[in-house]
Amino acid sequence: MAIKIAPSILSARFDRLGDQVKEAGEAGADLLHIDIMDGHFVPNLTMGPALVKSIRPITKVPFDTHLMVTHPQDFITAFADAGTNDLTVHVESDHDVRATIRAIRDAGLTPGLVLNPATPFEKAVPYLADVSLLLLMTVHPGFSGQAFRAEVVPKIREARAYIDKEGLDVEVEVDGGIKVDTAPIVAKAGADILVSGSGIFPDRIRENLKAIRAAAEKARGR
Ligand code: DX5
Ligand code: ZN
């Protein structure tokens, strides 16, 4: 399967967000990554369902909503109604992970599980049969523009190997510090979906996206 690129709008210019979303769609984004932060699970506040709803009509690109909140189970319906396609939740949040995943599916969305850089792959294993996405953070969540954490690379390899061995229908997504120089590293390690915020937005969106995709595809060689 071809590499997918998911530009993260956290790095877009919010004063002209609609145009930036449109541009990312026209540039060939496979998904649009939307970072939801509650100022509690992570030390930052970003956006909510109202924003997702307002940009939904601008593009046909599927929305990949990343919930960095303490109680993800409380927001499933709101983001489903706002028009997201998938919803990813952290294993470290305060919830019954299995119940949340089931509720996401019941809401008609594609569920994904997220692991922080320090969380071992084993924590995801009990849920892998029930999710379609495994998002491995390559920075501590909270802010865009941070440096890629190379110590997560063995975990990407481990996830890839396990998913292939078990024949699971789970895509491996990576998020944080992905740019032209780090895209080949994660692609080679087995990532399917590359999130990139400051590597793509706010200027030269098309060129940046194209360069990241080319670098990743070259490194992957499969
Ligand atoms: C970080 C967010 C990321 C962020 C990525 O907490 O989850 O999606 O927007 O930004 P970059 O690519 O600049 O690290
Ligand atoms: Zn994210």
PDB file of all heavy atoms in Angstrom, residues 149-170:
ATOM      1  N   ARG A 149      11.781  12.232  17.908  1.00  0.00           N
ATOM      2  CA  ARG A 149      12.452  11.402  18.921  1.00  0.00           C
ATOM      3  C   ARG A 149      12.824  10.056  18.306  1.00  0.00           C
ATOM      4  O   ARG A 149      11.978   9.162  18.171  1.00  0.00           O
ATOM      5  CB  ARG A 149      11.536  11.206  20.136  1.00  0.00           C
ATOM      6  CG  ARG A 149      11.030  12.513  20.735  1.00  0.00           C
ATOM      7  CD  ARG A 149      10.373  12.289  22.073  1.00  0.00           C
ATOM      8  NE  ARG A 149      11.369  12.101  23.096  1.00  0.00           N
ATOM      9  CZ  ARG A 149      11.873  13.069  23.863  1.00  0.00           C
ATOM     10  NH1 ARG A 149      11.450  14.310  23.730  1.00  0.00           N
ATOM     11  NH2 ARG A 149      12.786  12.789  24.762  1.00  0.00           N
ATOM     12  N   ALA A 150      14.086   9.933  17.980  1.00  0.00           N
ATOM     13  CA  ALA A 150      14.567   8.741  17.275  1.00  0.00           C
ATOM     14  C   ALA A 150      14.442   7.474  18.122  1.00  0.00           C
ATOM     15  O   ALA A 150      14.412   6.361  17.580  1.00  0.00           O
ATOM     16  CB  ALA A 150      16.017   8.938  16.845  1.00  0.00           C
ATOM     17  N   GLU A 151      14.314   7.644  19.435  1.00  0.00           N
ATOM     18  CA  GLU A 151      14.229   6.442  20.281  1.00  0.00           C
ATOM     19  C   GLU A 151      12.912   5.678  20.067  1.00  0.00           C
ATOM     20  O   GLU A 151      12.774   4.548  20.538  1.00  0.00           O
ATOM     21  CB  GLU A 151      14.403   6.802  21.769  1.00  0.00           C
ATOM     22  CG  GLU A 151      13.224   7.524  22.423  1.00  0.00           C
ATOM     23  CD  GLU A 151      13.346   9.044  22.384  1.00  0.00           C
ATOM     24  OE1 GLU A 151      14.119   9.569  21.545  1.00  0.00           O
ATOM     25  OE2 GLU A 151      12.655   9.718  23.180  1.00  0.00           O
ATOM     26  N   VAL A 152      11.960   6.295  19.343  1.00  0.00           N
ATOM     27  CA  VAL A 152      10.684   5.609  19.079  1.00  0.00           C
ATOM     28  C   VAL A 152      10.794   4.656  17.870  1.00  0.00           C
ATOM     29  O   VAL A 152       9.951   3.779  17.691  1.00  0.00           O
ATOM     30  CB  VAL A 152       9.542   6.649  18.862  1.00  0.00           C
ATOM     31  CG1 VAL A 152       8.205   5.970  18.598  1.00  0.00           C
ATOM     32  CG2 VAL A 152       9.426   7.577  20.067  1.00  0.00           C
ATOM     33  N   VAL A 153      11.845   4.799  17.086  1.00  0.00           N
ATOM     34  CA  VAL A 153      11.960   4.020  15.845  1.00  0.00           C
ATOM     35  C   VAL A 153      11.885   2.500  16.081  1.00  0.00           C
ATOM     36  O   VAL A 153      11.161   1.804  15.357  1.00  0.00           O
ATOM     37  CB  VAL A 153      13.232   4.419  15.043  1.00  0.00           C
ATOM     38  CG1 VAL A 153      13.429   3.515  13.839  1.00  0.00           C
ATOM     39  CG2 VAL A 153      13.126   5.882  14.602  1.00  0.00           C
ATOM     40  N   PRO A 154      12.554   1.955  17.103  1.00  0.00           N
ATOM     41  CA  PRO A 154      12.416   0.507  17.332  1.00  0.00           C
ATOM     42  C   PRO A 154      10.962   0.080  17.603  1.00  0.00           C
ATOM     43  O   PRO A 154      10.552  -1.015  17.221  1.00  0.00           O
ATOM     44  CB  PRO A 154      13.291   0.257  18.569  1.00  0.00           C
ATOM     45  CG  PRO A 154      14.282   1.388  18.570  1.00  0.00           C
ATOM     46  CD  PRO A 154      13.549   2.568  18.001  1.00  0.00           C
ATOM     47  N   LYS A 155      10.185   0.969  18.231  1.00  0.00           N
ATOM     48  CA  LYS A 155       8.770   0.655  18.504  1.00  0.00           C
ATOM     49  C   LYS A 155       7.964   0.597  17.203  1.00  0.00           C
ATOM     50  O   LYS A 155       7.040  -0.215  17.062  1.00  0.00           O
ATOM     51  CB  LYS A 155       8.177   1.679  19.479  1.00  0.00           C
ATOM     52  CG  LYS A 155       6.759   1.353  19.900  1.00  0.00           C
ATOM     53  CD  LYS A 155       6.313   2.098  21.160  1.00  0.00           C
ATOM     54  CE  LYS A 155       6.325   3.587  21.014  1.00  0.00           C
ATOM     55  NZ  LYS A 155       5.821   4.263  22.230  1.00  0.00           N
ATOM     56  N   ILE A 156       8.314   1.460  16.245  1.00  0.00           N
ATOM     57  CA  ILE A 156       7.639   1.422  14.936  1.00  0.00           C
ATOM     58  C   ILE A 156       7.933   0.075  14.267  1.00  0.00           C
ATOM     59  O   ILE A 156       7.030  -0.594  13.765  1.00  0.00           O
ATOM     60  CB  ILE A 156       8.109   2.589  14.025  1.00  0.00           C
ATOM     61  CG1 ILE A 156       7.862   3.945  14.700  1.00  0.00           C
ATOM     62  CG2 ILE A 156       7.417   2.525  12.655  1.00  0.00           C
ATOM     63  CD1 ILE A 156       8.511   5.124  13.987  1.00  0.00           C
ATOM     64  N   ARG A 157       9.195  -0.326  14.322  1.00  0.00           N
ATOM     65  CA  ARG A 157       9.587  -1.627  13.739  1.00  0.00           C
ATOM     66  C   ARG A 157       8.857  -2.776  14.426  1.00  0.00           C
ATOM     67  O   ARG A 157       8.363  -3.702  13.776  1.00  0.00           O
ATOM     68  CB  ARG A 157      11.095  -1.833  13.900  1.00  0.00           C
ATOM     69  CG  ARG A 157      11.892  -1.190  12.803  1.00  0.00           C
ATOM     70  CD  ARG A 157      13.337  -1.724  12.803  1.00  0.00           C
ATOM     71  NE  ARG A 157      14.226  -0.619  12.595  1.00  0.00           N
ATOM     72  CZ  ARG A 157      15.029  -0.077  13.514  1.00  0.00           C
ATOM     73  NH1 ARG A 157      15.101  -0.607  14.727  1.00  0.00           N
ATOM     74  NH2 ARG A 157      15.765   0.959  13.229  1.00  0.00           N
ATOM     75  N   GLU A 158       8.778  -2.695  15.745  1.00  0.00           N
ATOM     76  CA  GLU A 158       8.137  -3.740  16.536  1.00  0.00           C
ATOM     77  C   GLU A 158       6.651  -3.849  16.168  1.00  0.00           C
ATOM     78  O   GLU A 158       6.119  -4.949  15.975  1.00  0.00           O
ATOM     79  CB  GLU A 158       8.292  -3.380  18.025  1.00  0.00           C
ATOM     80  CG  GLU A 158       7.867  -4.460  18.974  1.00  0.00           C
ATOM     81  CD  GLU A 158       7.968  -4.010  20.442  1.00  0.00           C
ATOM     82  OE1 GLU A 158       8.343  -2.842  20.711  1.00  0.00           O
ATOM     83  OE2 GLU A 158       7.639  -4.837  21.315  1.00  0.00           O
ATOM     84  N   ALA A 159       5.988  -2.693  16.057  1.00  0.00           N
ATOM     85  CA  ALA A 159       4.564  -2.676  15.711  1.00  0.00           C
ATOM     86  C   ALA A 159       4.349  -3.258  14.317  1.00  0.00           C
ATOM     87  O   ALA A 159       3.460  -4.090  14.099  1.00  0.00           O
ATOM     88  CB  ALA A 159       4.026  -1.247  15.784  1.00  0.00           C
ATOM     89  N   ARG A 160       5.169  -2.810  13.377  1.00  0.00           N
ATOM     90  CA  ARG A 160       5.069  -3.303  11.993  1.00  0.00           C
ATOM     91  C   ARG A 160       5.200  -4.822  11.949  1.00  0.00           C
ATOM     92  O   ARG A 160       4.406  -5.525  11.316  1.00  0.00           O
ATOM     93  CB  ARG A 160       6.174  -2.640  11.156  1.00  0.00           C
ATOM     94  CG  ARG A 160       6.357  -3.150   9.761  1.00  0.00           C
ATOM     95  CD  ARG A 160       5.404  -2.454   8.806  1.00  0.00           C
ATOM     96  NE  ARG A 160       4.112  -3.079   8.758  1.00  0.00           N
ATOM     97  CZ  ARG A 160       2.964  -2.422   8.563  1.00  0.00           C
ATOM     98  NH1 ARG A 160       2.922  -1.116   8.433  1.00  0.00           N
ATOM     99  NH2 ARG A 160       1.836  -3.073   8.519  1.00  0.00           N
ATOM    100  N   ALA A 161       6.208  -5.336  12.638  1.00  0.00           N
ATOM    101  CA  ALA A 161       6.482  -6.775  12.611  1.00  0.00           C
ATOM    102  C   ALA A 161       5.317  -7.556  13.229  1.00  0.00           C
ATOM    103  O   ALA A 161       4.870  -8.570  12.686  1.00  0.00           O
ATOM    104  CB  ALA A 161       7.782  -7.072  13.353  1.00  0.00           C
ATOM    105  N   TYR A 162       4.811  -7.049  14.351  1.00  0.00           N
ATOM    106  CA  TYR A 162       3.727  -7.742  15.043  1.00  0.00           C
ATOM    107  C   TYR A 162       2.451  -7.767  14.179  1.00  0.00           C
ATOM    108  O   TYR A 162       1.798  -8.803  14.031  1.00  0.00           O
ATOM    109  CB  TYR A 162       3.449  -7.061  16.384  1.00  0.00           C
ATOM    110  CG  TYR A 162       2.398  -7.768  17.209  1.00  0.00           C
ATOM    111  CD1 TYR A 162       2.757  -8.752  18.123  1.00  0.00           C
ATOM    112  CD2 TYR A 162       1.041  -7.460  17.058  1.00  0.00           C
ATOM    113  CE1 TYR A 162       1.789  -9.414  18.871  1.00  0.00           C
ATOM    114  CE2 TYR A 162       0.073  -8.118  17.802  1.00  0.00           C
ATOM    115  CZ  TYR A 162       0.454  -9.086  18.707  1.00  0.00           C
ATOM    116  OH  TYR A 162      -0.512  -9.735  19.441  1.00  0.00           O
ATOM    117  N   ILE A 163       2.113  -6.616  13.626  1.00  0.00           N
ATOM    118  CA  ILE A 163       0.893  -6.488  12.813  1.00  0.00           C
ATOM    119  C   ILE A 163       0.976  -7.406  11.590  1.00  0.00           C
ATOM    120  O   ILE A 163       0.012  -8.090  11.241  1.00  0.00           O
ATOM    121  CB  ILE A 163       0.665  -5.012  12.422  1.00  0.00           C
ATOM    122  CG1 ILE A 163       0.212  -4.222  13.654  1.00  0.00           C
ATOM    123  CG2 ILE A 163      -0.323  -4.866  11.272  1.00  0.00           C
ATOM    124  CD1 ILE A 163       0.298  -2.718  13.515  1.00  0.00           C
ATOM    125  N   ASP A 164       2.135  -7.454  10.962  1.00  0.00           N
ATOM    126  CA  ASP A 164       2.314  -8.316   9.789  1.00  0.00           C
ATOM    127  C   ASP A 164       2.234  -9.792  10.183  1.00  0.00           C
ATOM    128  O   ASP A 164       1.576 -10.590   9.518  1.00  0.00           O
ATOM    129  CB  ASP A 164       3.656  -8.020   9.108  1.00  0.00           C
ATOM    130  CG  ASP A 164       3.632  -6.667   8.388  1.00  0.00           C
ATOM    131  OD1 ASP A 164       2.542  -6.063   8.290  1.00  0.00           O
ATOM    132  OD2 ASP A 164       4.703  -6.220   7.934  1.00  0.00           O
ATOM    133  N   LYS A 165       2.912 -10.111  11.280  1.00  0.00           N
ATOM    134  CA  LYS A 165       2.951 -11.526  11.727  1.00  0.00           C
ATOM    135  C   LYS A 165       1.540 -12.023  12.061  1.00  0.00           C
ATOM    136  O   LYS A 165       1.164 -13.134  11.705  1.00  0.00           O
ATOM    137  CB  LYS A 165       3.863 -11.640  12.948  1.00  0.00           C
ATOM    138  CG  LYS A 165       3.958 -13.057  13.522  1.00  0.00           C
ATOM    139  CD  LYS A 165       5.057 -13.197  14.561  1.00  0.00           C
ATOM    140  CE  LYS A 165       4.810 -12.525  15.876  1.00  0.00           C
ATOM    141  NZ  LYS A 165       3.793 -13.050  16.773  1.00  0.00           N
ATOM    142  N   GLU A 166       0.765 -11.167  12.732  1.00  0.00           N
ATOM    143  CA  GLU A 166      -0.589 -11.560  13.152  1.00  0.00           C
ATOM    144  C   GLU A 166      -1.629 -11.368  12.051  1.00  0.00           C
ATOM    145  O   GLU A 166      -2.800 -11.701  12.229  1.00  0.00           O
ATOM    146  CB  GLU A 166      -1.007 -10.758  14.391  1.00  0.00           C
ATOM    147  CG  GLU A 166      -0.119 -10.973  15.620  1.00  0.00           C
ATOM    148  CD  GLU A 166      -0.209 -12.396  16.177  1.00  0.00           C
ATOM    149  OE1 GLU A 166      -1.323 -12.954  16.189  1.00  0.00           O
ATOM    150  OE2 GLU A 166       0.835 -12.952  16.570  1.00  0.00           O
ATOM    151  N   GLY A 167      -1.203 -10.744  10.951  1.00  0.00           N
ATOM    152  CA  GLY A 167      -2.131 -10.494   9.851  1.00  0.00           C
ATOM    153  C   GLY A 167      -3.253  -9.537  10.227  1.00  0.00           C
ATOM    154  O   GLY A 167      -4.390  -9.678   9.771  1.00  0.00           O
ATOM    155  N   LEU A 168      -2.944  -8.543  11.057  1.00  0.00           N
ATOM    156  CA  LEU A 168      -3.969  -7.600  11.532  1.00  0.00           C
ATOM    157  C   LEU A 168      -4.211  -6.484  10.511  1.00  0.00           C
ATOM    158  O   LEU A 168      -3.297  -6.088   9.781  1.00  0.00           O
ATOM    159  CB  LEU A 168      -3.527  -6.977  12.870  1.00  0.00           C
ATOM    160  CG  LEU A 168      -3.418  -7.955  14.034  1.00  0.00           C
ATOM    161  CD1 LEU A 168      -2.664  -7.314  15.190  1.00  0.00           C
ATOM    162  CD2 LEU A 168      -4.814  -8.384  14.484  1.00  0.00           C
ATOM    163  N   ASP A 169      -5.440  -5.994  10.497  1.00  0.00           N
ATOM    164  CA  ASP A 169      -5.811  -4.929   9.566  1.00  0.00           C
ATOM    165  C   ASP A 169      -5.658  -3.576  10.278  1.00  0.00           C
ATOM    166  O   ASP A 169      -6.638  -2.916  10.589  1.00  0.00           O
ATOM    167  CB  ASP A 169      -7.262  -5.174   9.121  1.00  0.00           C
ATOM    168  CG  ASP A 169      -7.639  -4.296   7.949  1.00  0.00           C
ATOM    169  OD1 ASP A 169      -6.746  -3.663   7.354  1.00  0.00           O
ATOM    170  OD2 ASP A 169      -8.849  -4.232   7.636  1.00  0.00           O
ATOM    171  N   VAL A 170      -4.423  -3.227  10.569  1.00  0.00           N
ATOM    172  CA  VAL A 170      -4.128  -1.996  11.331  1.00  0.00           C
ATOM    173  C   VAL A 170      -3.049  -1.209  10.594  1.00  0.00           C
ATOM    174  O   VAL A 170      -2.000  -1.767  10.249  1.00  0.00           O
ATOM    175  CB  VAL A 170      -3.609  -2.348  12.753  1.00  0.00           C
ATOM    176  CG1 VAL A 170      -3.260  -1.073  13.526  1.00  0.00           C
ATOM    177  CG2 VAL A 170      -4.637  -3.165  13.514  1.00  0.00           C
TER     178      VAL A 170
END
